[in-house]
Amino acid sequence: MEWFIIETHADEYPRWTQKVTMGGSLYKLYFSWNERQEIWQLSISDSDDNLLLGGLCLVPEIDLLSKYRVSVPKLPVGMLIVMDKMSDLSTAEITRDNFGSRFLLGYFDFGED
């Protein structure tokens, strides 16, 4: 099993794309700050650039992929979660400025050791 933090560039850019290997497969992650709704959104494509999931709102402390696994079988099998370093759900609001500092995006691979 593997756990790692996905590097973010929110302190530098309101949107960016990066490649990440999750569950043994390569994915393209597209992050964007939605200024009107004041939320971070994530889209996930496979290595051939086929969109698997688009406009996913980043919210803390839940498995972001769990409700999509049945309808999108090409998603990573592990858990993708935004973690709050302060562990304070009463103030857990992801903003333009705290994603990547207070809130980190992590992936936990359920694969065999």
Side-chain angles (χ1 to χ4, degrees):
M1 290 187 255
E2 180 183 9
W3 173 257
F4 63 91
I5 301 298
I6 296 172
E7 182 180 353
T8 60
H9 303 283
D11 57 337
E12 301 173 60
Y13 308 107
R15 58 191 52 81
W16 73 93
T17 302
Q18 66 190 59
K19 294 179 181 176
V20 176
T21 299
M22 296 183 287
S25 297
L26 184 66
Y27 295 91
K28 184 187 280 187
L29 306 180
Y30 175 72
F31 296 88
S32 63
W33 173 249
N34 183 317
E35 192 169 321
R36 189 179 74 224
Q37 294 180 325
E38 296 186 341
I39 56 171
W40 280 102
Q41 294 179 305
L42 171 66
S43 294
I44 302 173
S45 297
D46 64 16
S47 59
D48 294 324
D49 229 8
N50 298 307
L51 182 65
L52 301 176
L53 192 60
L56 180 65
C57 297
L58 296 183
V59 294
E61 307 300 331
I62 63 165
D63 180 3
L64 298 169
L65 304 178
S66 65
K67 68 180 179 180
Y68 303 103
R69 282 203 184 87
V70 172
S71 59
V72 188
K74 288 187 175 184
L75 286 173
V77 296
M79 182 171 63
L80 189 65
I81 186 169
V82 177
M83 300 167 293
D84 181 3
K85 287 172 49 176
M86 293 179 65
S87 298
D88 183 1
L89 290 179
S90 68
T91 64
E93 182 179 339
I94 303 171
T95 67
R96 168 69 175 92
D97 299 321
N98 66 13
F99 182 50
S101 55
R102 175 180 172 176
F103 294 95
L104 306 175
L105 182 62
Y107 179 75
F108 183 74
D109 188 353
F110 296 141
E112 297 181 24
D113 311 285

